[in-house]
Each structure stands twice: as C-alpha cells, then as structure tokens.
Amino acid sequence: MQKLSMGLQPGMPARVLHADAACLVADKPAGLLSVPGRGDGKQDCLATRLRAAYPDALVVHRLDMATSGLFLMGRGADMQRRLSRAFEQREVHKRYVAVVAGVPAADGWSEIDLPLAADWPRRPRQQVDRANGRPSLTRWRVLGPGPVPGTTRLELEPVTGRSHQLRVHLLAIGHPIVGDALYAPAPVADAAPRLLLHAAELQLAHPHTGETMHWRSPAPF
C-alpha cells in the first residue's frame, strides 16, 4: 500500500476551542496522552497541559494516545460529575472520521454490533468476544475515497464507548484503520505516520445552562 506523507510536527500544541466556567474543549494532537500514564516518562499529557492554564479542569473522558480531536474537561468537581453522567447516559453525541483499508460496500448508515472484551494476554488490545464481551455498537457511513489508493474515508458514531471500540469493530469487518500500529496488518499500519482516526464532532447539553453545544474539528488527514 502506498504511504501517506503528512509532515507531522513533534510536540504540536493543543488548541483550546471553548472555555467557560463549566467546561473546556480542546483539540488533542495525535501522539499525546489524554491523561498521565504509568512511569516518569508518561506524565506529559493533554490534561496536565490544560490544567496549567485552567487549574480546576478535571477529566471527563479519554481519547487514545494515537487519536486526535475533540477532548472535553469539566471545570470543578460538580461540572465533572454532570458531564460524566451525560457520557454514561449516552447524552453526549460524538462523531469520528477515519481512513480505512479497502472499499466498504455500504449505502447510507450501517451498524457494527459486536461485543468487546479485553484481550488479556495481549493487553492493551481488545477483541470481539461473543461469549463474555460487553455490548458494543458503532454506526458508520462512507464519506468518499481516502487519501491513499485503496482506502476509504468513513464517518463513525460510537453509540457505546468501549476501549478501542472503533479500531476493533472496523478490523472485525475487514477494514482496519490506516496507520493503526496495534491492530492493522503491517502494510496498512505502515501506510501512514499516525493512526488516521479523529474525533471530529462533539454535541451535548451545556451542564450549567442546558443550551445545546456543538463543536467541530476537521480531520487533519
């Protein structure tokens, strides 16, 4: 598969799209942790960087290190609880853009309904587990051809929010995400310098006013 050149810049800063007394929305670059990891070398992360400017910002959800896009934090413990509850009750609507290997056959929105569970011998990998997995549902549709021949650009809507859900679901239907070093076959993983998955839209009721808030971030690929 032809390789995509993107001219990535190490240490690319996060862009703050929204900040008020209740919440904070930033655009996370690929390759940056959402929250601190284990070990001294994994303390630099988006949450820590944002707290340098907004000391009361608290984590509500996470994006994989390899994924870029919209990241939400609550300002103070009460707003964090309200926003976390909204995620748990599926009141937060998220859409992603991905580039996958192959050309999926689809007309309009389709669904991937496959239960997921941890692949314990190969952590942090997840896997489809029809016997013991948690119910997991992804909606998807084709947006058009991808930036590399033999790839397709998709819009994704995770109805549930399992770890690595989009990556494992797309692998399960035979269309792994380009640049996915954890799940894709080597030719697909090596076709891009990063995982081609981006959190492009976020919509929710403002935790203080109830106003519908809608943020968008164009995919950088």
Side-chain angles (χ1 to χ4, degrees), residues 108-181:
W109 286 95
S110 299
E111 292 186 349
I112 306 170
D113 187 0
L114 294 170
L116 300 178
D119 186 352
W120 290 108
R122 298 189 294 171
R123 288 177 293 177
R125 289 175 59 103
Q126 307 292 305
Q127 64 183 345
V128 174
D129 186 337
R130 298 180 187 276
N132 301 304
R134 301 174 69 187
S136 306
L137 179 63
T138 298
R139 300 180 68 241
W140 64 275
R141 67 171 178 165
V142 172
L143 294 177
V148 174
T151 66
T152 303
R153 188 178 299 270
L154 302 183
E155 183 174 22
L156 309 168
E157 183 180 314
V159 179
T160 51
R162 311 303 180 206
S163 180
H164 297 181
Q165 176 177 314
L166 300 177
R167 300 163 73 175
V168 178
H169 270 177
L170 291 168
L171 175 68
I173 64 169
H175 298 286
I177 299 177
V178 175
D180 192 342

